[in-house]
Amino acid sequence: MVVFASFHGTVTAISDFATGQNGASEGCYRLLSVQNERGETVHFVVAPATYFVDQDMVSPGDQVTGYYDQNAPVPLIYPPQYRALIVVKDNPYRNVKVDYFNQQLTSSDGLLKLNPAANTKVLLTNGQAFSKSPANRNLIVIYGPATKSIPAQTAPYKIIVWC
């Protein structure tokens, strides 16, 4: 099971990343360098399967959050290098939560509870409709306003099921 961890900061550089596959994947992998406000840097390996919320294009200077599997093996190098599973570009008109949501659609950290409305889109990462319950799954939730309660409650715009 994926246990999501994240790193938020400003994109400082984007470069090609060689995978050593005899040039067959040349240009398909990128290295996204992100620095937070404390000056800490993380390199995200962006693969063709990395999910970009709303397919946003990312450029140096953009504020992003990169999500990775904290249980995945990583090389012991500095700065740390993680395989990006999901990248979210900051947008003042939406909030995004990536987490495991239980049977009650409450996030694993207990900070957000989902109350899907009839017009909430529930999709797979490929954009196709998801017909089952999103409960007890890893989800990418895109939402707007939320209550100030704990957990905050929201009727999300879109729920993307991370299978």
Side-chain angles (χ1 to χ4, degrees):
M1 183 170 112
V2 174
V3 177
F4 289 107
S6 66
F7 186 84
H8 180 267
T10 303
V11 176
T12 57
I14 302 173
S15 58
D16 285 331
F17 182 75
T19 61
Q21 297 178 357
N22 299 329
S25 63
E26 188 175 344
C28 294
Y29 291 80
R30 309 287 287 190
L31 197 63
L32 193 70
S33 299
V34 179
Q35 185 177 56
N36 68 12
E37 57 191 29
R38 294 185 302 227
E40 300 165 332
T41 298
V42 162
H43 294 305
F44 285 111
V45 176
V46 176
T50 300
Y51 184 80
F52 281 77
V53 170
D54 292 336
Q55 296 183 340
D56 286 339
M57 295 296 289
V58 174
S59 303
D62 290 340
Q63 295 284 314
V64 299
T65 303
Y67 291 88
Y68 58 95
D69 183 353
Q70 77 178 23
N71 291 334
V74 296
L76 294 174
I77 58 173
Y78 184 83
Q81 182 174 296
Y82 302 113
R83 183 177 151 248
L85 300 175
I86 300 163
V87 176
V88 180
K89 181 177 174 180
D90 284 8
N91 181 328
Y93 304 108
R94 70 167 186 224
N95 298 303
V96 178
K97 176 87 171 174
V98 176
D99 205 349
Y100 176 84
F101 286 78
N102 66 17
Q103 184 65 37
Q104 290 76 37
L105 291 175
T106 301
S107 61
S108 67
D109 60 8
L111 296 178
L112 185 65
K113 180 171 181 359
L114 307 180
N115 298 313
N119 63 343
T120 299
K121 294 179 184 177
V122 182
L123 307 169
L124 293 167
T125 54
N126 64 7
Q128 299 303 301
F130 184 76
S131 59
K132 304 294 182 189
S133 168
N136 295 317
R137 299 179 186 273
N138 288 317
L139 304 176
I140 304 166
V141 179
I142 301 169
Y143 63 101
T147 64
K148 294 186 185 244
S149 61
I150 297 178
Q153 297 189 37
T154 189
Y157 303 139
K158 191 185 316 183
I159 298 172
I160 300 152
V161 179
W162 182 266
C163 290

